[in-house]
Amino acid sequence: MTRTDSDWWRGAVIYQVYPRSFFDSNGDGIGDLPGVTAKLDYIADLNVDAIWLSPFFTSPMKDFGYDVSDYRGVDPIFGTLDDLDKLITEAHQRGLKIMIDQVLSHSSDQHAWFKESRASRDNPKADWYVWADAREDGTPPNNWLSVFGGSAWAWDSRRRQYYLHNFLASQPDLNFHNPELQDQMLEEVRFWLERGVDGFRLDAINFCFHDPELRDNPPSQAVQEASIGVRKENPYAYQYHKYDKTQPENLVLLQRLRALLDEYPGTTTVGEIGDDNSLQTMADYTGNGDKLHMAYSFDLLTEQTGADFIRHTVETIESNLTDGWPCWAIGNHDVARVASRWRAQSPEQLKLFMIALLTLRGSVCLYQGEELGLTEAELAFEDLVDPYGISFWPEYKGRDGCRTPMPWQHDADQAGFSSGKPWLPVAADHKAAAIDVQGAAPDSVLNAYRAFLGWRREQDVLLTGAIEFHDSPADTLLFSRRDGDRHLLVALNFGSESVTLDLPASAQPITGAPDCLKGEWQGTQVSLPAYGAGVAEV
């Protein structure tokens, strides 16, 4: 399959920028949109295809932009709409697409819609949010829980009703059972399409609908690590989320959303799926070419790792996906950095994680700093700002440790991120991994990313080819990528000892492969050092 301009997203690498922590252009300690524009050359030099911008919308920032109070505004801490227009224009000049984080399932309680909705039970927007009467004893309507802890229902004294919030109490859920609300949210999406964005990362996209009968969730049979917010210290883990999300009506909404994007050729969507059965939901949401273009789950964003785990995860989604398209990520702004979460002990392990991710079938999201091998920052309790971490401290320290500022210069104040005091401290051990240090070191993790991404984008078979796993020794992966007459074999060693794999007689080392592929070839065998990788042409 050869990619066209309209399906550039197949096999694309999307670089996630968390604007607050990327680069601060005005010295107020918070990264901003002009800061992203100033660093576009750095992003382009990574050889990625697109940028995903985490939310920059007008917001009280209780959840750092995922609580939107104006879907069409840029919060002043990030700049202006003109700054965004300039960013889009300059990114396009460098061949980079721009995707923005769209939060459809909930707004801020400071949004004008919610202020009107909560004012009475009979105003024009009274049914734009999810309201329900208390039980006879005054308790919430059902047992649904918030991802961030406690009941998913908050009492409002004006309406004398409860409203639903799957996340913070300041993030009330919008009522997508209301046709007017659906139409309005699609218009909010159209606003950004008209402004020239190339796509959307859809936050918590399976949370848009709830069971209208408000039935209780049954207990979970087991705590599953792969679901959003599911940790053993969080009571959310102890329910099977049958009724509070991933409802069948959501499929119709996604079809409407896809029809809208089809009016703007070359635009795309990637949905975030946090569900008890996330791999099946990914398949459902991307099938038939009439819903999401692609989706990713939290299955590779847990502490589970290794060859067997990766193979099981990928084969499970591939067996269900049929004509859908996956998007893989091993890091983002919601989970501990992969270097710490997967307990990397060396740069070679970090490079192996990269090669594994970038040779799977599907598109890829890379989180800023992943290309530097940044570890999870250790923060004191008094430095925390994430309400999730503050609620569950000390068993869970929240998401601040993966959101600390990017280190640009090892010997500059605040590692070159800002001339002021940053909103989160710069991790001291990140300075040694700064971009100026790694850029000057030929064998660095950063330069391995640049080289491998540059090579990968020329390999059509890695962008769009099919995948098939083959049996191989413990702690290794061996799989084929095929596209027409082209056939590559990828060999990965997740073990701390070298290993030799037998390959078909026709297998040959690929010409022009980047230096981070350390496999050594002897006849029909490839010898992989510890955490080594090789790619063969068959």
Side-chain angles (χ1 to χ4, degrees), residues 15-40 42-43 53 77-79 87 368 403-409 412-420 422-423 426 435:
Y15 184 76
Q16 182 191 355
V17 169
Y18 195 72
R20 294 181 74 94
S21 298
F22 197 63
F23 182 66
D24 172 20
S25 71
N26 60 7
D28 65 356
I30 298 173
D32 44 44
L33 294 178
V36 180
T37 303
K39 298 297 186 181
L40 281 175
Y42 168 77
I43 299 173
L53 292 171
I77 67 171
F78 295 124
L87 171 56
Q368 66 180 48
R403 298 177 175 183
T404 55
M406 281 282 280
W408 295 93
Q409 296 172 261
D413 290 342
Q414 313 303 345
F417 163 71
S418 174
S419 59
W423 73 288
V426 174
I435 289 159

Side-chain angles (χ1 to χ4, degrees), residues 44-64:
D45 285 346
L46 288 174
N47 296 308
V48 299
D49 301 290
I51 297 170
W52 147 23
L53 292 171
S54 288
F56 50 77
F57 307 111
T58 311
S59 166
M61 299 294 163
K62 295 290 181 63
D63 192 24
F64 302 101

Side-chain angles (χ1 to χ4, degrees), residues 222-236:
V223 176
Q224 298 294 326
E225 289 287 343
S227 190
I228 187 170
V230 172
R231 299 178 58 89
K232 291 183 179 179
E233 66 273 9
N234 188 342
Y236 191 84

Side-chain angles (χ1 to χ4, degrees), residues 205-432:
I205 190 60
N206 57 312
F207 281 79
C208 289
F209 280 89
H210 64 285
D211 171 38
E213 296 180 37
L214 303 181
R215 286 171 282 189
D216 281 349
N217 280 329
S220 176
Q221 298 303 308
V223 176
Q224 298 294 326
E225 289 287 343
S227 190
I228 187 170
V230 172
R231 299 178 58 89
K232 291 183 179 179
E233 66 273 9
N234 188 342
Y236 191 84
Y238 292 89
Q239 287 186 359
Y240 173 58
H241 295 273
K242 183 175 182 179
Y243 296 115
D244 53 351
K245 59 184 179 181
T246 323
Q247 299 302 291
E249 296 93 335
N250 215 38
L251 296 172
V252 179
L253 172 67
L254 296 181
Q255 288 171 332
R256 294 194 66 194
L257 179 64
R258 179 60 172 265
L260 171 59
L261 266 77
D262 286 347
E263 296 178 29
Y264 299 83
T267 58
T268 192
T269 52
V270 54
E272 176 199 40
I273 308 297
D275 190 50
D276 298 283
N277 190 3
S278 54
L279 297 180
Q280 181 60 53
T281 304
M282 281 176 67
D284 294 341
Y285 281 21
T286 60
N288 298 325
D290 64 348
K291 295 178 280 292
L292 297 179
H293 296 81
M294 47 189 168
Y296 76 87
S297 75
F298 281 69
D299 289 83
L300 294 183
L301 295 169
T302 68
E303 293 182 2
Q304 292 175 277
T305 184
D308 289 346
F309 172 70
I310 292 172
R311 176 174 179 174
H312 171 75
T313 302
V314 175
E315 287 189 323
T316 301
I317 182 61
E318 289 290 340
S319 66
N320 290 306
L321 204 55
T322 60
D323 61 343
W325 191 258
C327 184
W328 299 106
I330 58 174
N332 69 20
H333 63 292
D334 280 332
V335 296
R337 286 201 173 272
V338 67
S340 298
R341 200 177 70 249
W342 283 5
R343 299 174 293 282
Q345 301 298 314
S346 69
E348 298 313 310
Q349 267 185 288
L350 294 168
K351 294 172 189 177
L352 176 70
F353 298 162
M354 169 198 70
I355 295 166
L357 177 67
L358 292 171
T359 51
L360 297 177
R361 186 182 88 100
S363 304
V364 170
C365 289
L366 296 178
Y367 179 49
Q368 66 180 48
E370 209 167 295
E371 76 278 14
L372 304 176
L374 296 187
T375 54
E376 182 79 352
E378 289 295 328
L379 301 175
F381 179 76
E382 53 268 25
D383 290 325
L384 297 187
V385 294
D386 180 17
Y388 199 3
I390 292 168
S391 294
F392 287 101
W393 179 276
E395 286 76 16
Y396 174 54
K397 299 178 181 180
R399 301 165 295 179
D400 292 324
C402 68
R403 298 177 175 183
T404 55
M406 281 282 280
W408 295 93
Q409 296 172 261
H410 74 286
D411 56 355
D413 290 342
Q414 313 303 345
F417 163 71
S418 174
S419 59
K421 181 183 178 181
W423 73 288
L424 282 175
V426 174
D429 61 345
H430 287 182
K431 292 185 177 182

Side-chain angles (χ1 to χ4, degrees), residues 500-504 507 520-527:
T500 298
L501 302 182
D502 293 320
L503 300 180
E520 294 184 3
W521 303 84
Q522 297 174 343
T524 60
Q525 293 182 321
V526 61
S527 178

Side-chain angles (χ1 to χ4, degrees), residues 134-197:
R135 294 178 180 177
E136 290 183 0
D137 61 359
T139 55
N142 59 29
N143 70 348
W144 297 352
L145 295 173
S146 162
V147 171
F148 289 165
S151 172
W153 297 95
W155 178 254
D156 184 81
S157 57
R158 276 153 284 196
R159 285 186 50 145
R160 298 181 186 178
Q161 283 184 305
Y162 283 97
Y163 66 85
L164 179 66
H165 61 92
N166 275 297
F167 298 94
L168 295 175
S170 56
Q171 293 171 296
D173 274 57
L174 289 155
N175 180 20
F176 277 83
H177 290 287
N178 183 316
E180 285 185 2
L181 181 277
Q182 269 197 50
D183 292 345
Q184 184 62 51
M185 293 307 291
L186 292 174
E187 285 306 304
E188 304 306 311
V189 173
R190 186 186 294 276
F191 173 83
W192 295 107
L193 290 167
E194 288 288 332
R195 209 153 196 109
V197 304

